[in-house]
Amino acid sequence: TLGDLDDPQRLSLDQQFFHCTASGDPIVVTGFDDDAKRQVLYERYRKRYGLSRTPYDHLSPSVSELFRSPLILALVAEIYGAQNQGETGRAIPRELNYVDVFGQLKEKRLKSARYLVPAGSRRDAIEDELRECLQMFSTLLYERMIEDPDGDPRDYVAIEQTTRGQLAKFSADREDRQITPLRALREIGLITSKVVAEVDYYGRRTTGKAYTFFHDRYAEYELAAVYRTDAVLGMLTKGVARDEAALGAIAKSIEALVVSSTAFPVLSGALDYWFDMNRFANRNDISPLVALCNQLSLSESGSVRFKASHTLTGFVLRDLLPAKKLYKSAFSLGGFALRIDLARALGESWPGVSRD
């Protein structure tokens, strides 16, 4: 199946690896936009993977909406389902661990790209090319959004922007490759095209074509990798957390991102992934994150304080940390303002937080 089937220059598919009609055209899976159809599909996976603890009507709307894509449903079932037939899987939380979901989705899609190129050295190298292209695309998308948040929407990359700068080498046709990396990312569905409003040379309103990620949640996942670079936030190590100036600089940058997220919510959503990357890198020692949230809890912005407390609470809601571990650390190391905000976030998240 391909993402841009309306493209007259689409590749002919190798029927050994793709489901096609007798004439060679791809069989299109359009997704499950209807809630009733998604429930039927979910019940099949629920039975197969032992997800008896989570009936469909117990799923949060943000989770069930993701199941428009059967592939994402399959990934969630693999993550939370039973390892062996006949066993009972874990309950699906109201907030998914999106790092796992989209991390696995990305790997599966990148591996499938191997079959878009002939066997040989390029097939072996295509995954690395696509990873580099994703990094460049994410960086450009980030720059587009922070360039002028109060102006026109910039949560996309115009097609002409992909033909110059660092993305040019990923979009230019070459004799030694059948498909460009940017085109391959479109074919495997990580990047999609959209129609956007534009103004032409004479000031007349018109439309154009642009690229963006296939889902906002996935965009947040890729943007978090941009945040990890030293040019944006870097990584929050224990050493950085002890450096008051360095910690203050990160807090100031996060405040700016939260402000910009008023126009582009994915900038705030990406912070959740960045926090989780730091939790994982510090092996579940959240003392550096608590130190950062202490700084954020002193902000004059209610949105920034809300982000700090609810991001920490999200570790429990997504089943990433036991509630006792999170609150013991946060309430023993956190300042008065953060403890008050966490208590409020706990009340607002109830009953998503375990009684334990």
Side-chain angles (χ1 to χ4, degrees), residues 289-308:
L289 291 174
V290 173
L292 174 60
C293 288
N294 268 333
Q295 294 247 7
L296 297 174
S297 67
L298 300 176
S299 171
E300 295 181 359
S301 168
S303 297
V304 172
R305 298 194 302 272
F306 178 92
K307 186 66 184 178

Side-chain angles (χ1 to χ4, degrees), residues 67-303:
F67 295 162
R68 293 171 184 266
S69 165
L71 178 56
I72 293 181
L73 172 54
L75 291 172
V76 170
E78 289 176 5
I79 293 170
Y80 294 98
Q83 299 300 310
N84 301 303
Q85 195 78 21
E87 294 180 352
T88 300
R90 293 183 293 156
I92 298 176
R94 294 186 62 80
E95 291 290 333
L96 293 178
N97 179 6
Y98 293 106
V99 172
D100 276 355
V101 174
F102 286 122
Q104 291 191 33
L105 172 69
K106 177 179 178 179
E107 293 307 310
K108 287 178 179 290
R109 291 289 175 91
L110 292 181
K111 284 184 179 0
S112 70
R114 293 170 57 86
Y115 303 113
L116 295 174
V117 298
S121 59
R122 177 123 198 281
R123 175 175 284 186
D124 296 332
I126 187 67
E127 288 186 48
D128 289 337
E129 290 183 35
L130 297 187
R131 291 181 199 280
E132 187 180 357
C133 184
L134 279 171
Q135 181 182 1
M136 293 298 104
F137 185 86
S138 303
T139 301
L140 182 56
L141 185 65
Y142 166 76
E143 292 172 350
R144 287 275 292 171
M145 286 188 283
I146 65 169
E147 183 178 325
D148 182 14
D150 295 325
D152 294 331
R154 297 171 183 267
D155 55 346
Y156 57 81
V157 175
I159 286 183
E160 58 267 22
Q161 289 184 299
T162 66
T163 62
R164 59 179 184 264
Q166 293 182 308
L167 270 180
K169 67 177 182 178
F170 299 109
S171 61
D173 291 322
R174 292 198 326 230
E175 292 184 1
D176 63 335
R177 61 189 183 192
Q178 182 186 14
I179 185 173
T180 67
L182 187 61
R183 176 65 182 274
L185 288 172
R186 290 169 53 205
E187 300 291 13
I188 62 177
L190 294 181
I191 289 177
T192 187
S193 60
K194 63 184 293 187
V195 176
V196 297
E198 292 182 344
V199 177
D200 67 12
Y201 178 78
Y202 298 99
R204 296 173 301 192
R205 293 186 177 277
T206 182
T207 58
K209 204 172 184 182
Y211 296 138
T212 190
F213 287 114
F214 80 97
H215 195 284
D216 282 350
R217 286 288 192 180
Y218 182 72
E220 294 168 357
Y221 172 82
E222 291 292 350
L223 287 170
V226 180
Y227 289 2
R228 290 185 61 183
T229 64
D230 292 336
V232 186
L233 297 178
M235 288 298 286
L236 183 61
T237 63
K238 294 179 182 178
V240 170
R242 289 192 292 266
D243 186 329
E244 188 173 343
L247 193 64
I250 293 177
K252 185 176 180 180
S253 296
I254 288 177
E255 286 202 43
L257 287 170
V258 173
V259 171
S260 297
S261 71
T262 303
F264 306 110
V266 292
L267 291 173
S268 177
L271 285 171
D272 295 337
Y273 293 88
W274 180 81
F275 267 75
D276 191 42
M277 288 175 179
N278 284 284
R279 174 199 62 81
F280 183 80
N282 289 309
R283 300 184 178 182
N284 283 341
D285 180 354
I286 63 168
S287 58
L289 291 174
V290 173
L292 174 60
C293 288
N294 268 333
Q295 294 247 7
L296 297 174
S297 67
L298 300 176
S299 171
E300 295 181 359
S301 168
S303 297

Side-chain angles (χ1 to χ4, degrees), residues 32-50:
F32 290 75
D33 293 335
D34 182 74
D35 185 71
K37 291 181 179 179
R38 285 202 300 275
Q39 182 170 0
V40 172
L41 181 67
Y42 176 77
E43 290 302 328
R44 298 288 181 90
Y45 277 91
R46 185 181 174 217
K47 181 177 180 181
R48 167 63 180 80
Y49 286 91

